[in-house]
Amino acid sequence: MAAAPVAAGSGAGRGRRSAATVAAWGGWGGRPRPGNILLQLRQGQLTGRGLVRAVQFTETFLTERDKQSKWSGIPQLLLKLHTTSHLHSDFVECQNILKEISPLLSMEAMAFVTEERKLTQETTYPNTYIFDLFGGVDLLVEILMRPTISIRGQKLKISDEMSKDCLSILYNTCVCTEGVTKRLAEKNDFVIFLFTLMTSKKTFLQTATLIEDILGVKKEMIRLDEVPNLSSLVSNFDQQQLANFCRILAVTISEMDTGNDDKHTLLAKNAQQKKSLSLGPSAAEINQASIVFPPPGASEENGLPHTSARTQLPQSMKIMHEIMYKLEVLYVLCVLLMGRQRNQVHRMIAEFKLIPGLNNLFDKLIWRKHSASALVLHGHNQNCDCSPDITLKIQFLRLLQSFSDHHENKYLLLNNQELNELSAISLKANIPEVEAVLNTDRSLVCDGKRGLLTRLLQVMKKEPAESSFRFWQARAVESFLRGTTSYADQMFLLKRGLLEHILYCIVDSECKSRDVLQSYFDLLGELMKFNVDAFKRFNKYINTDAKFQVFLKQINSSLVDSNMLVRCVTLSLDRFENQVDMKVAEVLSECRLLAYISQVPTQMSFLFRLINIIHVQTLTQENVSCLNTSLVILMLARRKERLPLYLRLLQRMEHSKKYPGFLLNNFHNLLRFWQQHYLHKDKDSTCLENSSCISFSYWKETVSILLNPDRQSPSALVSYIEEPYMDIDRDFTEE
């Protein structure tokens, strides 16, 4: 019997068999034991010892065993592949063998992804599994990375066609065989090397697809600054390649999610931020800084990367491709606009005229009219959130939200005529024109009859009641109003009927979606804040007690959703009460909403519930607004020297509920957390100051007064907690 060949480079002499090979044969000269080989190969794969590759067997043995097990000749092909892929090979025969292996695996992968798994179910050991078990994956990795090896100063080369075959086989194995993708992800040098294969158009698509799958399971994100010549690589991409590359960027620049909801609490986020400060920036943050965007060769008409001509494709398929490519680009831009490189990305988006481009695409692609049968994925319907058409719309709205949020570039969403309208509003109201409007580069704004913001308002008002877009539309428009309140911005939207549309959705359609309601309440608050004209319009629309009661029912159904509106109305009431103006006096005397909020029992009811529905351990970015709204109510009470009264009333409400101390102890803990959270975050403090028009120093002073440990202080919380019920020193920090 011929001796089993040894692995290349092992140095073992001929005529000797490994113990593992002997065991597989049942001893010297024995016959193979059914099933035993695969078990030992699997064990070797897990431990790295014993049987791990086809090269450890003789071809005679593999052929005989194949007759019983129906391995499709894959182990023998791998044995030949190993022999023909040595360093000094010309790889011609090697490529021929790959051509034999490829269809055996691609058929299985096709059956797997189309859920036609009859082949997989009937075969005891599928081809992809056998290919991996006999060391095929590791062998292909070695072959692909041969160009990294130098012999006598010259690097080895393999053809693009051969690389393409290797990549396709690896991808098909990843699809069908569990654990292969994770093993490849652990080979960091291989993952980095794969990027170099994207330089060739012949191997680009296969490489990009494999990288995307690998990064999706990688425990630790790669760093793009480790990729050789990344800038040169990206700058040479055509538009279709760039759009595909954005799928990879989307993974590398996004923070890895733990998948645990508890980690989204502010306590956990603060702990993570402290940890990050000691560890330095995350891989995602480093990658965001590493991205080098070439000037987008997009046409002026599109403003986004377009694909090469596909004249043979049906029109619906062409549109599907356009949507998918643009979707990836929008996502990457959205992530970057929320990262540390935000200002740089803003500048580039402006200079490359992306906003006018999106405006031109709005009717043609983003919010185009389409038939019921268009762009529907197999197994889905046209209203499914999974459809590319709907996903593009949502991603577009998220981009507008990120672009407008607290940034002066938001005025690029208007055209020249609309910017002139803002100036005219300020002039008529005899108020200074917004500086950001004056500073806007008119050559970079939208063109055409309507700007992007106006187009969005038009589709927003036509959106069906059950539409999943309502939430994102409201968020995008609200972001335009966020920051320092602008009367001109509010009037621009009020003149276009936005307030009436919101009230119709809240009151007349009696919206049931909590997410949509929250977004509409937030938008309504920003639209009405400090604006007398808005309150007049509100009172004109909510013109009966029945309508007002429906409105109050919606507010009181969930304060987590409506508290921002309560805050804005409370702040507006305080400002109006301190103004001497006939128009303001008229609104104060007529507006049902202002009259309702002005009552102390109403304010106390809101205050009690706002404090009661949150706890330090459950605070999130979504509900921390309840804490800040309760503080606004108490800060305004402090201004009027009524803070002790409000604290005394809270104490009485506690006793009426038969739980003395439970509310004020909780509030004390919340305020301690507030100090830890906000006194170290400049952005959040600025947002609080701008949105409330109350200096952050007054916020801090009020919290300090409330946390004063002196039980003789009439404005300290401890003065209203009886000694037996005192529980203010609880440690709420996480380990």
Side-chain angles (χ1 to χ4, degrees), residues 329-339 395 398-399 402:
V329 179
L330 291 179
Y331 178 80
V332 169
L333 290 174
C334 190
V335 173
L336 292 174
L337 281 171
M338 295 186 289
Q395 200 57 60
R398 290 186 66 188
L399 178 66
S402 303

Side-chain angles (χ1 to χ4, degrees), residues 480-498:
F480 182 81
L481 292 172
R482 279 191 203 146
T484 304
T485 304
S486 167
Y487 174 80
D489 292 354
Q490 290 173 323
M491 292 307 300
F492 180 84
L493 297 174
L494 287 169
K495 289 170 64 176
R496 285 157 175 79
L498 180 59

Side-chain angles (χ1 to χ4, degrees), residues 242-253:
L242 181 60
N244 275 290
F245 185 63
C246 282
R247 296 174 66 92
I248 295 171
L249 289 183
V251 181
T252 62
I253 66 176

Side-chain angles (χ1 to χ4, degrees), residues 514 517-522 525 551-569 606 609-610 625-626 629:
R514 301 312 320 171
L517 268 179
Q518 183 181 26
S519 64
Y520 273 40
F521 279 131
D522 290 351
F551 184 75
L552 291 184
K553 180 183 176 183
Q554 292 281 49
I555 286 180
N556 287 304
S557 64
S558 176
L559 274 182
V560 171
D561 301 324
S562 63
N563 82 89
M564 290 299 294
L565 175 64
V566 172
R567 187 194 307 184
C568 291
V569 176
F606 280 135
R609 285 183 291 155
L610 286 167
S625 57
C626 295
T629 299

